[in-house]
Each structure stands twice: as C-alpha cells, then as structure tokens.
Amino acid sequence: TQNEHLQNLGVRYIEDPFLFISNRIYLALVSPSLWLLEMWIFGHILKVRHREELPHGHYIICGYGRMGHALERAFRKASIPYSYIDMESDDYKERKGSAVFGDAEDYKLLQEAGIKKADAIIAATKDDLINLTILSTARKLNRKIYTIGRENTLDDLSIFRSARINRIYILEQVLAEFTYLFIARPLAYRFVRLLHTRDEAWGGSLVRRMHEILGDNP
C-alpha cells in the first residue's frame, strides 16, 4: 500500500485523510457527543446543529477507491446498511462510452441503486465535477436525500457551497487541520486520538460538564 511504501522510505508520521473522514462519519453515526468534541477542537460550537445529524438509514457510496473502502469499514462497524456504485472506474466509462455524467444513463444507474428509497448518498470520487453532478442528480430523483460530498481541492469551494450539499469534506482542509494539530497543538492532537477509544456515555458526560461550566462555545 501507499502507507507501507512511505514507511519503507523512512517517513515516521503518516496521516490518511480518508481515515479521518470515515472516522468522523462513524462517530457522527454512533456517538454524536464524541463527534462534537472532535469538531469543537477544530472550532465548532459545542452543539450539534439539526442539519448536521446524519440519517441512520441506507447509504449509497459513489466511488469505490480509497475513500469508498474507508467508508465501507466505517459503515460495517456502525452496522449501517449501504451499497456502492463505482462510477469512476475505467470499465464504467468504457461501457458508458463517455466521461459525461448526469445524463439519462446515470439517472438509470442511480435508480437501479435504489436512490428513491435511500436516506443518504456520498459522492466520494477523486473528480470534483463528477461528485457535484452525482449529488445534483441524486437530489432531483430524491428531494429528501441527505447529501455528502468529497471535495478534493479548495479551488472548488465556492461551487460546492452554492450546490447546497448537506455535508462537505475537503481533503486538503482535513489534512491541513490534523497536520497543524500534530505540530502546533500536541495535547489537542492526543485528545482527538483519545476520543476514538471512548464511548458515547463518556462523551455525553464531558459535553454536559463543559456546558455547565463554560457554555455552548468554550
């Protein structure tokens, strides 16, 4: 794997943004208090907004690369039902005969994947345009579906925000935040790592204590 290759080169600290994202989604599903504490470290208020609550129904993952595999592990661990579409594979593009997404063929593909009954969809390919198109098409077929998008570069931030996606994970930003934490705030970094060894009862108790002493935005 890429991580093993870097280790063989003598790189001591290796961070995987796909693992960060899948861990966050896992926490948001099974332990919202722990998710909230992690997000608080990065500047979030100490309260889960209603729009940030993830549904517990069926998820569709579009894109089955490194992020898709990481999400699969998170959903299995959380016992969340899911299915996936590898919309980015060379085989799919060859069968499709085009690299254009959002056409009638993709409508059919999403319908066959159960988009009308799905509760959430994650566009996880390495192409920002494809991710945007997937989520736009999904919402046309299911207005109530919860949308999660992978944004690969900050260059497309304004486009993603205007698309009104429910939750956006920006790879560059996630990696930069954790790298900064590791270098400049080592105790906060250790605290984030600790969160993933605790349970919701521990997290909920800590959040309540912080609220009582410090309010919503300590």
Side-chain angles (χ1 to χ4, degrees):
T1 65
Q2 186 176 20
N3 285 359
E4 291 172 343
H5 177 65
L6 292 172
Q7 288 171 347
N8 292 335
L9 292 175
V11 179
R12 288 185 61 193
Y13 300 105
I14 303 168
E15 301 290 11
D16 183 349
F18 303 111
L19 183 60
F20 292 148
I21 292 170
S22 66
N23 283 342
R24 278 188 180 173
I25 290 177
Y26 172 77
L27 286 184
L29 287 167
V30 305
S31 185
S33 295
L34 295 179
W35 176 85
L36 183 58
L37 287 166
E38 177 172 318
M39 297 307 295
W40 168 69
I41 289 292
F42 294 101
H44 195 287
I45 63 170
L46 205 61
K47 182 178 180 180
V48 179
R49 304 180 182 98
H50 177 68
R51 67 177 183 273
E52 295 171 330
E53 297 174 358
L54 293 185
H56 281 74
H58 186 89
Y59 281 70
I60 296 177
I61 306 170
C62 293
Y64 201 53
R66 291 174 60 196
M67 183 168 172
H69 282 83
L71 290 170
E72 181 178 47
R73 291 191 293 271
F75 286 137
R76 284 183 175 178
K77 188 177 178 182
S79 299
I80 297 293
Y82 70 92
S83 56
Y84 71 86
I85 307 170
D86 193 358
M87 296 186 75
E88 199 182 16
S89 69
D90 292 336
D91 178 61
Y92 174 73
K93 288 182 179 179
E94 184 175 343
R95 282 187 287 110
K96 182 179 173 65
S98 168
V100 177
F101 290 81
D103 56 12
E105 188 173 347
D106 292 317
Y107 271 71
K108 181 180 178 182
L109 186 67
L110 287 171
Q111 288 173 332
E112 290 174 350
I115 193 67
K116 291 187 177 180
K117 293 183 179 180
D119 296 278
I121 183 169
I122 303 178
T125 81
K126 61 184 178 181
D127 187 308
D128 285 351
L129 181 58
I130 290 176
N131 290 340
L132 285 165
T133 308
I134 288 170
L135 298 181
S136 175
T137 305
R139 186 162 278 164
K140 290 176 182 177
L141 295 168
N142 181 349
R143 291 186 178 182
K144 295 182 179 180
I145 198 162
Y146 193 96
T147 53
I148 301 174
R150 164 182 169 181
E151 182 180 344
N152 295 278
T153 173
L154 286 164
D155 293 341
D156 298 325
L157 182 58
S158 61
I159 303 174
F160 270 78
R161 284 179 175 171
S162 65
R164 297 183 180 180
I165 298 166
N166 293 107
R167 186 173 294 206
I168 301 170
Y169 290 103
I170 308 170
L171 290 190
E172 289 181 355
Q173 184 179 29
V174 169
L175 198 54
E177 287 177 345
F178 272 92
T179 302
Y180 171 77
L181 209 64
F182 178 80
I183 295 171
R185 301 174 63 197
L187 290 180
Y189 181 85
R190 289 176 60 186
F191 178 71
V192 169
R193 292 298 194 191
L194 173 70
L195 293 177
H196 292 271
T197 69
R198 302 294 182 171
D199 59 18
E200 175 62 10
W202 182 90
S205 175
L206 180 55
V207 169
R208 286 191 297 272
R209 288 164 58 198
M210 292 175 71
H211 271 148
E212 291 168 2
I213 299 170
L214 301 168
D216 284 351
N217 194 19

